[in-house]
Amino acid sequence: MKRIALLLMLVTPVIIAAPSSEVAWTPALLKSVKNANPAKGKELAAAKTCTSCHGETGISNAPDTPSLGGQLATSLYKQLRDYAKGSRQHDLMSSVASGLSEQETADIAAYYASLALPANKSSSESSDKTEKLVELGDDKRILPPCEVCHGSNGQGEKMDIPALKGQRADYLVKTMLEFKNGQRHNDIYSRMRRIAEQLSEQEIKDLANYYQTLD
Ligand code: HEC
Ligand code: HEC
């Protein structure tokens, strides 16, 4: 009896984990993001002062603040709704995002998606080790290559896999470390946490630099 009770304790999850995100990609939601109005989004970005932090053309000059230009609309939409619902925690962005209706969120996402991705300013050589992680992953750690999800040129993939190309390295480091320590947990099916957990801090820095300077 005792043994059975012990076994039950081991197999019964004590805490039912909360969903990582409340965004569910139904055909209706995809349609509404696809048909959103970028011109309205542009007005909103100015009125809500998104531009003061994320830059006039979606290219950020502020530390730890991501560029938004050229990002997938679906990814932007999801991140904003996650901030609004508390699935992704950041005091400032949560209060900004909860002040937007779903339609306004879709319009702003469409606007930033219509802009260009940040252009590479500095060139830097990446080590073979970093390129290998991006292109081949690491069998020993069951680490899939970044490319299979984020695309061969870091351009992102539908629906919720963000573009990384040209993104600020300081922000990339910050957010990957947050995936690694579980502070950021809004990735559906833990797809990004499982990866970040296995990366060393040095690898995270090297990968961030790789993507910031990707041609
Ligand atoms: C005072 C500065 C500030 C303002 C104003 C601001 N943001 Fe942000 N935003 C940030 C910072 C800092 C982050 C990174 C937060 C984090 O680490 O989670 C961020 C993150 C984001 C992200 C997540 C991007 C990603 O790659 O995951 C989106 C989307 C975003 N902001 C959109 C907006 C929009 C739209 C507005 C206006 C309605 C806005 N922000 C206003 C500073 C700001
Ligand atoms: C199995 C698919 C998968 C692989 C492989 C993968 N990622 Fe991700 N990654 C994701 C998903 C999904 C998200 C978005 C999570 C969310 O919804 O917030 C993400 C988000 C990110 C973000 C956050 C971007 C932002 O704008 O906030 C960074 C940085 C990142 N990944 C880097 C990497 C790097 C570097 C690698 C290779 C070592 C990698 N990823 C491999 C699926 C993957």
Side-chain angles (χ1 to χ4, degrees):
M1 254 328 262
K2 246 188 184 170
R3 260 205 195 155
I4 293 171
L6 197 73
L7 212 76
L8 275 176
M9 261 170 68
L10 287 174
V11 296
T12 314
V14 183
I15 302 159
I16 309 287
S20 48
S21 175
E22 289 183 26
V23 175
W25 291 113
T26 59
L29 178 57
L30 277 173
K31 202 170 149 201
S32 98
V33 175
K34 195 171 156 236
N35 295 337
N37 185 336
K40 273 203 185 136
K42 183 177 182 176
E43 283 169 23
L44 276 166
K48 303 267 179 185
T49 71
C50 318
T51 45
S52 67
C53 294
H54 293 284
E56 284 298 327
T57 58
I59 311 299
S60 156
N61 282 316
D64 291 345
T65 307
S67 293
L68 306 177
Q71 186 55 270
L72 273 74
T74 40
S75 177
L76 293 166
Y77 180 88
K78 176 183 180 292
Q79 296 307 323
L80 287 165
R81 294 306 298 159
D82 283 351
Y83 284 126
K85 293 284 178 185
S87 312
R88 183 173 175 185
Q89 278 102 16
H90 187 268
D91 289 347
L92 179 111
M93 274 314 302
S94 295
S95 92
V96 167
S98 48
L100 300 169
S101 70
E102 288 178 35
Q103 185 60 52
E104 287 173 331
T105 305
D107 290 343
I108 290 192
Y111 166 62
Y112 280 114
S114 75
L115 303 174
L117 275 171
N120 177 22
K121 281 187 228 134
S122 57
S123 72
S124 92
E125 283 288 305
S126 289
S127 73
D128 289 349
K129 256 174 78 187
T130 306
E131 279 173 20
K132 214 177 140 218
L133 280 176
V134 171
E135 291 165 14
L136 302 169
D138 183 355
D139 285 347
K140 283 194 209 105
R141 289 182 277 177
I142 324 179
L143 201 56
C146 315
E147 276 192 358
V148 293
C149 292
H150 291 278
S152 56
N153 200 23
Q155 74 276 25
E157 291 285 347
K158 61 184 177 188
M159 279 112 20
D160 58 354
I161 303 184
L164 304 175
K165 185 176 153 64
Q167 184 57 276
R168 293 180 63 97
D170 55 359
Y171 167 74
L172 291 175
V173 168
K174 176 179 182 273
T175 208
M176 277 193 272
L177 288 176
E178 287 179 356
F179 276 126
K180 184 177 165 72
N181 67 25
Q183 202 179 325
R184 179 171 171 186
H185 45 72
N186 65 327
D187 52 329
I188 298 172
Y189 306 129
S190 304
R191 276 168 297 169
M192 200 47 223
R193 268 171 291 171
R194 290 221 179 97
I195 296 197
E197 276 162 8
Q198 302 189 66
L199 297 170
S200 69
E201 289 194 18
Q202 188 58 50
E203 284 173 327
I204 284 178
K205 282 183 196 152
D206 293 342
L207 286 160
N209 194 47
Y210 170 91
Y211 276 111
Q212 174 176 269
T213 56
L214 191 62
D215 271 319

